[in-house]
Amino acid sequence: MQGFGEIQANAGERLVLALERGGVDVLHRCGGAARCTTCRVSFQEGEPDAMTAAEFDKLTEKGLLGQARLSCQIECAPGMSVTPLQTASSSGLEPGKAPAEQIEPDPVWTTRPGASTEG
């Protein structure tokens, strides 16, 4: 992880929770429900091809599609390398309520634009 070191995450764990557990003060104003973009990250490696419809819609609405991902909408997988784009300390804002263990709202999966869909 850029600037924060390596974090060991469990497969399927929400990225936002893994970041917090690893000591990153990732910002999540809406409580991890894809209603804002404060938990956004950029990927250096291992960006998942899957994306929730909620993430797609929010990134599109904010003009961030293809530039960032929402850590509250991503399940951890081996080989991910990310940089948090907003933290509580860098923004001066307080995080919202703690995100749930499972992705909210119930994920409807799609493929992110630019993903390789070839088998």
Side-chain angles (χ1 to χ4, degrees):
M1 235 190 46
Q2 296 289 100
F4 293 95
E6 188 169 312
I7 295 172
Q8 295 299 318
N10 301 314
E13 181 178 11
R14 287 180 83 176
L15 181 56
V16 67
L17 296 177
L19 291 171
E20 281 190 329
R21 191 176 41 73
V24 178
D25 62 336
V26 63
L27 195 59
H28 50 75
R29 300 283 291 174
C30 76
R35 291 191 308 264
C36 70
T37 60
T38 58
C39 72
R40 62 186 178 263
V41 297
S42 65
F43 273 84
Q44 283 68 58
E45 292 180 45
E47 182 174 358
D49 290 341
M51 173 181 273
T52 67
E55 179 183 17
F56 178 88
D57 291 347
K58 184 52 67 175
L59 291 175
T60 299
E61 173 190 325
K62 298 294 185 180
L64 294 169
L65 190 64
Q67 299 173 37
R69 296 289 304 267
L70 301 182
S71 64
C72 72
Q73 298 294 299
I74 297 171
E75 294 178 335
C76 292
M80 287 183 166
S81 177
V82 303
T83 300
L85 299 177
Q86 287 192 347
T87 60
S89 56
S90 71
S91 69
L93 298 171
E94 290 291 320
K97 70 175 184 144
E101 292 295 317
Q102 301 302 316
I103 291 177
E104 295 176 323
D106 286 339
V108 174
W109 296 101
T110 187
T111 302
R112 70 174 167 85
S116 172
T117 56
E118 298 173 12

